[in-house]
Amino acid sequence: MTTHVLHRSLRHKLPTAVAVDGVRLIDGQGKSYIDASGGAAVSCLGHGHPDVIAAIHAQIDKIAYAHTSFFTTEVAEQLADKLVAGAPDGISHVYFVSGGSEAIEAALKMARQYFVEIGQPERRHFIARRQSYHGNTLGALAVGGNEWRRRQFAPLLIPVTHVSPCYEYRDRRADESAEQYGARLVQELAAAIDELGPQTVIAFVAETVGGATAGALTPVPGYLRGVRELCDRHGILLLLDEVMCGMGRTGTLHACEQDGVVPDLLTIAKGLGGGYQPIGAVLVQGKIVDAFERGSGLFQHGHTYIGHPTACAAALAVQQVIARDNLLDAVKRQGQGLQDRLQRKLGDHPHVGDLRGRGLFRGVELVADRASKQTFDPTHRLHARIKAQAMARGLMVYPMGGTIDGQHGDHVLLAPPFIVTDDDLDQIVDRLAAAIDAALAELPATR
Ligand code: PLP
């Protein structure tokens, strides 16, 4: 079949998704796939949830679209009320957008405008981390630390200083405790701030739990609190990106709750609407909104589809179902169940170096040798082979290469829907283990 869709890859043929059933998608041949990655950590309620679909239908019948420079809508107001009620301390407003990259772009501009409004226009630098992902638009790509994604576009990107990720498996020294390692990372950030000049830095940007680029990298205890204190000392904003790890994925509504840290700007997207509609948002601290109010009286930004009523209706329904059905408890319980199964099946595997993550957000890092943590030859594209072998077995997972530096390393990210059952988890882990072994068997003897 010829296609006129410019797909992500021009080399691979994709199956056609024709139907859905809870945690499963079905293709045109009738083959069923367990969605163990929620696409890319999106489908928190699985597929075809009747309550969300009913809410979308009702909203379309009422009012599908109204431009936000002319009107607000009840549904946008209700969703913002709900999000602020569940947000970290001091968050007073929500800026709606249509996805994660747009949320980051808006947050970067809010941070810059904040300092212009309060009379500190000399602040112009962002600091972010290597091995991060913040989206594919130019601003988001610039703060992102995925070398492979950035490389060919580098001449177009604003200069951003990147510091080390919090990557305990590879970077904590044997003579350090987790807390000491975290303190060392905070020192590195402090040095980067000093180098740029503290009065010139706008914000530090980080995923609370690293997602797509390095596979569920969790912050060590105390690290984010140290970052928060450092930012406060210099009047620098903390922008936490929870587009992937937020909205319940790690077992609390916001991942940063578990680190005892309150950001100035918090971006959310994927699990907000669960894939039923494109929606993202920036949760904003009151001091930033106050500065806009006292100053220019506006946030100088906007897109045609911000605050889209149908998208807001979907997100409101998703969030209501999560609360009504106690799904954050399910994430904690099933997340532990997933980790236990991974540990049992893969914990002693000669090519599994690390099993990490929080809640239903888990990473499996593959290594050629466990003792030395040597990675596989990147030309073998082990991650792509695992994805193909998993799809052949009716399993969707989210593998990536370049885990440690954009080139070397392979991992698999798992982010199943919050409604996943014990039986689903058994099948996910069995199929994943079989896919990993089949992919490894394809590699030449010298790896
Ligand atoms: N930020 C993070 C942490 C992400 O994981 C992603 C997407 O994977 C984005 C931003 C970009 O989101 P989107 O693909 O919706 O633009």
Side-chain angles (χ1 to χ4, degrees), residues 8 40 98-104 133-137 140 149 207 209-212 241-245 267 269-270 279 398:
R8 286 173 182 248
S98 302
S101 302
E102 277 189 21
I104 289 290
Y133 183 57
H134 297 296
N136 264 331
T137 50
R149 291 183 197 265
E207 293 162 89
V209 179
D241 182 356
E242 298 203 2
V243 163
M244 190 176 255
C245 66
T267 52
K270 293 163 186 274
I279 185 163
Y398 190 2

Side-chain angles (χ1 to χ4, degrees), residues 17-89:
V18 297
V20 292
D21 178 17
V23 300
R24 289 172 174 76
L25 287 106
I26 294 116
D27 74 12
Q29 310 298 312
K31 180 172 170 178
S32 161
Y33 304 78
I34 304 181
D35 189 356
S37 55
V42 176
S43 302
C44 55
L45 288 188
H47 303 270
H49 198 292
D51 297 2
V52 184
I53 291 169
I56 295 171
H57 284 167
Q59 186 61 45
I60 292 174
D61 286 342
K62 206 166 159 190
I63 170 171
Y65 175 69
H67 195 282
T68 46
S69 69
F70 299 89
F71 294 103
T72 185
T73 54
E74 283 172 1
V75 69
E77 298 292 337
Q78 283 167 6
L79 179 59
D81 288 349
K82 182 159 181 59
L83 291 174
V84 167
D89 285 352

